[in-house]
Each structure stands twice: as structure tokens, then as C-alpha cells.
Amino acid sequence: MSKETAVYTHGHHESVLRSHTWRTAANSAAYLLDSLKPHMRILDIGCGPGTITADLAELVPHGHVTGVDRAAGVLEQARATAAARGLGNVDFAVADVHALEYPDDTFCVVHAHQVLQHVGDPVRALREMHRVTRPGGYIAVRDADYAAMTWYPASEGLDDWLDLYRRVARANGGEPDAGRRLKSWALSAGIRDITTTSDTWTFATEEERSWWSGLWADRTVASAYADRATEGGHATPGALRAVSEAWREWGRHEDGWFAVLHGEILCRKHV
């Protein structure tokens, strides 16, 4: 596997898109929003089904947002999302963050949510993001950190899930504990004006537990992640079924609580 490429661990199964379509600019890019201005031109990398992209387009009504993803199929859903919201200032294209086909200094903001954990060379990706950002503009990146995820009550099945997921993700060429590495990667890319923050998603109500545990239970046995786990020799189908049931069991606990930690960097490109 070349350093610039990695296999997207999750794929685009319904259980994955169930999570992705829940994401909004408010719950996934709050650290960026105060920096946005109505006229800005934004590049949203790894846009998936386009819910964050559409939110960003609404926040820059006199500007423009381009959403890009390596998976052409998911862009049809992104276009449908934007059309349903009546947005005329957004477009979508297939792109590779390691080699963006845009001139230097094109965008006011280059944004990537849950992307660098899945790429083969995050430092090269950040250099490309910096290259296409205008002087005075922003590079905004947010990634989860799997090793920092925590939950209650204790569950050996979820311990198995975390160990398995990290092994599968790394075998695919990614880095699941990306959140803690974002500042280091940005420094290695030659970026110096970096504001670092962190934020969490928390799932604790009955509805939240049911949703979060259900999508991971389904993803564990039915998505591309499940195929990669078995085909790569990381788990048997029986082991995946046990992890899936552990997720459902956790979701049934009235006192269940799960937190997802994210690292965030907001970088300014100097003139």
C-alpha cells in the first residue's frame, strides 16, 4: 500500500451514513464557525453525504462551498442534500486530498472532518490543504481519537471492539488515534499558526444510546468494516457477532454513557 493511499475503513453502508447524515456544522465544526464570513469560498474535504457542507453553504450566503470526496457514489446523496435545501452556492466533485486539483491560494477556508484518520499521508494532505488556502485563510481539521473514547458501564465486548477497530484501521493504512496527532502533523507540514482545541460527542439518553449502539452493532456485522475485519484475518464472523451484541447490550443500560473525544486544529495561513 503506497503511503499516499489508504482504504476507507467504514465504507458507505447505511449504518455508516446513519452517522454521517447526523453530523451538522454545529455538532461537528463549532470551533470553526466564528471565523466564517458571508463572502467566503470554502473547500469541504471528505464531505460524504453533504450535511456539514450544506450547513457551511448556508453560513456563507454570498460565498461558495465545494464539497469533495474520493467516493463518487456518495456525492449523489450530497447533491440531493443541497438541492433539498435549495442551495445554489455549493457544488461537489471527486478529489484526493493528497493531490488537490486546485490552484494555489484558492479558498478562504479548507475544512476536513473525520478525514485525516483515514488517509495514508496526513502530513502531505495538510500541505495540500495549506497550499490551496488563500493567505489569511484557515485550515480547519477535526478528528476523533479512538483510544480516548470512553464508556460506562465497563464492557469486555466493547474493549474487544476498540482493539479490533484500531487494528483494522491501521491495517488499512489509517491512524484511528488521529485526534491527538493533528497538531504534530500540522507542524510537520510546515504550518505554524495553529490553535488547538478539543470537543466531545456524548451519548447517554435512551434515544442517544439506542442510536449510537445500534449503528455500531449494525456496522460491525454488515458494513465494509466487517468485510475488512474478516478478510484481513482480524476477526471471525462469530467474533464480530459477539461484538455487535455487546454494543446492543451496552445500549440497553439505563446508566450507559459513551464519549467520543475529538482533536481540533484551526490554522491560519500567513501572507
Side-chain angles (χ1 to χ4, degrees):
M1 181 178 296
S2 74
K3 194 175 182 183
E4 291 77 24
T5 56
V7 176
Y8 179 47
T9 296
H10 299 284
H12 293 94
H13 183 264
E14 182 278 330
S15 61
V16 177
L17 295 179
R18 201 184 313 165
S19 171
H20 291 183
T21 54
W22 166 82
R23 298 172 184 174
T24 65
N27 68 29
S28 299
Y31 71 104
L32 166 65
L33 302 188
D34 286 346
S35 300
L36 298 183
K37 306 298 181 187
H39 67 278
M40 283 181 160
R41 185 177 181 186
I42 299 174
L43 178 65
D44 186 23
I45 294 172
C47 66
T51 51
I52 297 175
T53 319
D55 284 352
L56 294 175
E58 289 182 341
L59 292 168
V60 292
H62 306 302
H64 190 88
V65 180
T66 296
V68 297
D69 203 285
R70 289 203 69 174
V74 78
L75 293 179
E76 292 307 310
Q77 185 168 346
R79 292 185 181 100
T81 297
R85 292 167 65 167
L87 296 169
N89 64 333
V90 60
D91 70 301
F92 297 93
V94 175
D96 178 359
V97 67
H98 298 103
L100 296 168
E101 297 181 0
Y102 298 101
D104 295 357
D105 307 335
T106 297
F107 299 95
C108 305
V109 176
V110 179
H111 169 261
H113 182 263
Q114 313 288 24
V115 172
L116 294 192
Q117 64 185 280
H118 298 296
V119 305
D121 191 340
V123 173
R124 178 175 173 180
L126 281 162
R127 288 196 188 107
E128 273 293 273
M129 294 170 69
H130 184 268
R131 180 185 65 78
V132 301
T133 302
R134 293 176 180 173
Y138 297 93
I139 302 99
V141 181
R142 185 176 194 253
D143 266 279
D145 193 299
Y146 275 76
M149 293 184 188
T150 189
W151 56 85
Y152 184 87
S155 165
E156 290 185 5
L158 291 194
D159 291 341
D160 291 342
W161 159 76
L162 182 57
D163 174 70
L164 174 63
Y165 180 82
R166 292 170 78 213
R167 285 189 285 112
V168 172
R170 287 185 173 131
N172 286 340
E175 174 46 68
D177 304 340
R180 69 188 66 192
R181 291 172 164 82
L182 296 181
K183 182 180 179 181
S184 175
W185 288 339
L187 289 169
S188 295
I191 300 169
R192 289 294 178 267
D193 188 344
I194 308 168
T195 299
T196 58
T197 53
S198 61
D199 200 1
T200 59
W201 292 334
T202 302
F203 306 101
T205 68
E206 181 177 2
E207 180 180 6
E208 290 165 349
R209 293 193 318 272
S210 176
W211 180 77
W212 184 244
S213 64
L215 68 87
W216 269 108
D218 292 344
R219 191 181 302 188
T220 298
V221 295
S223 69
Y225 160 65
D227 295 336
R228 286 159 189 153
T230 54
E231 292 169 3
H234 305 288
T236 64
L240 293 182
R241 288 192 295 271
V243 169
S244 178
E245 180 50 38
W247 270 110
R248 296 195 189 280
E249 174 62 25
W250 172 83
R252 290 190 284 266
H253 282 274
E254 183 180 7
D255 58 353
W257 178 92
F258 197 108
V260 178
L261 178 70
H262 297 89
E264 302 165 337
I265 54 171
L266 186 63
C267 312
R268 196 77 184 265
K269 181 173 179 176
H270 289 289
V271 178

